[in-house]
Each structure stands twice: as structure tokens, then as C-alpha cells.
Amino acid sequence: MNDTPLNNDQLSLWWRQAREGDDHAFGCIHRELFNGLYNYSEKLLQDGDLANDAVQELFVRLWTKRETIGELRKVKPYFFTALRRQILNQLRNLHLRELKISGLAKPDIEFSPEEIVVRTEEYHSLKNKIALLLNELPKRQKEVIYLHYFEDMDYTQIAGIMGIHYQSVLNLTQKALQKLRSADLLLLLLSLSYLYRYWRH
């Protein structure tokens, strides 16, 4: 695995090759995106096994439909959008309701202290505080913060993934950041989210 996230050009190249039947190229996409998709899925479903199944099902479905999907200008946001839509559909399914998770029809991101990656002692004592503060945010604010700062999505991509207007993403972000700023934790969030993305890769 590379030390830095792969650029979109390489992902787009792999996707073009996959559309032509290159399963190795599709495997490269799987390797590059799986962890991020799994983390996002686990947060929405709050169950590791269900999250793994959802992501695996996504890859199988996209491989099967690859020829009809067409060219993808932004591969990673497309996969995240498809995963979110799939999960929301699954949450309305009778089988998942029988598993008593139907109450998650509106996804609710939850941050854990372990995800607030720290590499220096002066940050260590603050990771619980910032995780608690993030978890106090409304659901959609948490999802925007997670996608932007922990999955490195821009606001246009987030709007597409969540199915909301671009301005709504900006408003949600501003409200969330204002709360962090008022607690003097905004700079810490920026630092820790960078470390999270760096060390995960």
C-alpha cells in the first residue's frame, strides 16, 4: 500500500481497464478503496460484519454492471455514493429490520477515540475530548465532517454522495466547525484528520 492516497487519474485508468474485463485492475480499485468504504459502511451500519458484507456486495454489483456504468470522472466519490445508496436501501429491507437496525434509516456517524489518530504526547490527552465533541454534532454535520476531513472528499463530492445541495454541505460544515472553533479544537481536528488519512495508508 502506498504511503499517500492514490490520485484519481490512476483510479480512472483502472476503472477503464476493469470495464474492458481486466479483473486485476478491478482488484487494484478494491485494494485502494476497500478500507475507506468499510470504515464508512461500519459507521452507517454500526456492525462490522454487515459493513463488510455491504462493501463486498458493492464490489460484486459494480463489477457485474461495469459495462453499463460507463466512464467515471471521479471513481472514489462514485463508489461512496453507490455504497451509501445501497445501505439506505438495505436498511429499508425486511431482513435488516428483523435484525433490529431499522432505526438507522438515517445514518449516524460515530467517532471513536481510536480513530482520532495521535502521534505526539501533547495531543494524546485531547483525543477523547475531540471525539466526544464530534459525536455531539447533529447526524448530517458528523457525516459531512467525516467525509471531508477523514475521507478527503471535496464539498461537491459530498453533496453528490449525500444527495443534498452544495450550499447545504457548506452550511453543515460551517456549523460544525463553529462548534469546534468555540472549543478551541478546530486546529486539532485539522491536524488529526491529516494524520488519520496519512497513517491509514
Side-chain angles (χ1 to χ4, degrees):
M1 186 77 64
N2 293 332
D3 287 338
T4 56
L6 211 60
N7 64 48
N8 186 68
D9 290 342
Q10 180 61 68
L11 287 170
S12 296
L13 173 61
W14 283 337
W15 176 252
R16 287 196 296 273
Q17 294 170 337
R19 287 186 64 222
E20 297 171 357
D22 188 339
D23 57 355
H24 174 73
F26 193 74
C28 290
I29 296 175
H30 183 284
R31 184 190 67 223
E32 182 65 24
L33 297 185
F34 181 86
N35 286 341
L37 290 166
Y38 172 81
N39 290 339
Y40 186 47
S41 179
E42 197 274 335
K43 289 182 176 303
L44 299 183
L45 290 167
Q46 299 180 17
D47 183 291
D49 291 335
L50 288 177
N52 184 73
D53 290 345
V55 177
Q56 297 294 8
E57 179 181 335
L58 173 75
F59 277 102
V60 170
R61 182 165 57 83
L62 295 184
W63 171 256
T64 302
K65 296 182 176 182
R66 65 191 185 280
E67 294 180 2
T68 60
I69 292 174
E71 290 291 326
L72 296 179
R73 297 179 63 185
K74 299 292 184 180
V75 176
K76 181 177 177 180
Y78 181 88
F79 273 65
F80 271 74
T81 302
L83 177 64
R84 190 179 197 272
R85 185 179 300 118
Q86 173 185 303
I87 288 174
L88 290 179
N89 289 337
Q90 288 176 333
L91 289 173
R92 299 185 187 101
N93 183 278
L94 174 62
H95 297 297
L96 292 182
R97 288 202 299 271
E98 290 173 350
L99 291 173
K100 300 180 180 179
I101 63 171
S102 60
L104 297 177
K106 294 183 178 179
D108 186 6
I109 296 292
E110 182 175 351
F111 294 88
S112 67
E114 289 72 24
E115 284 178 310
I116 310 302
V117 182
V118 294
R119 288 290 180 265
T120 57
E121 284 302 320
E122 63 266 26
Y123 284 162
H124 186 74
S125 63
L126 291 174
K127 69 175 184 177
N128 288 334
K129 183 177 180 180
I130 196 171
L132 287 172
L133 189 62
L134 288 171
N135 287 327
E136 290 175 357
L137 297 174
K139 294 179 181 180
R140 293 203 304 173
Q141 288 183 29
K142 286 192 287 187
E143 190 166 3
V144 167
I145 291 296
Y146 179 77
L147 289 173
H148 184 59
Y149 289 103
F150 292 82
E151 288 300 335
D152 204 24
M153 300 283 187
D154 64 36
Y155 295 136
T156 300
Q157 293 166 348
I158 294 171
I161 290 170
M162 295 180 64
I164 60 178
H165 294 299
Y166 178 87
Q167 187 61 45
S168 297
V169 176
L170 294 182
N171 293 342
L172 290 167
T173 303
Q174 181 60 35
K175 290 177 182 177
L177 295 185
Q178 182 58 44
K179 186 167 185 178
L180 291 166
R181 189 179 294 111
S182 65
D184 295 324
L185 290 173
L186 179 56
L187 290 179
L188 180 62
L189 170 68
L190 300 178
S191 298
L192 296 182
S193 62
Y194 170 79
L195 289 172
Y196 173 81
R197 296 194 304 270
Y198 178 84
W199 288 107
R200 196 180 69 187
H201 287 272

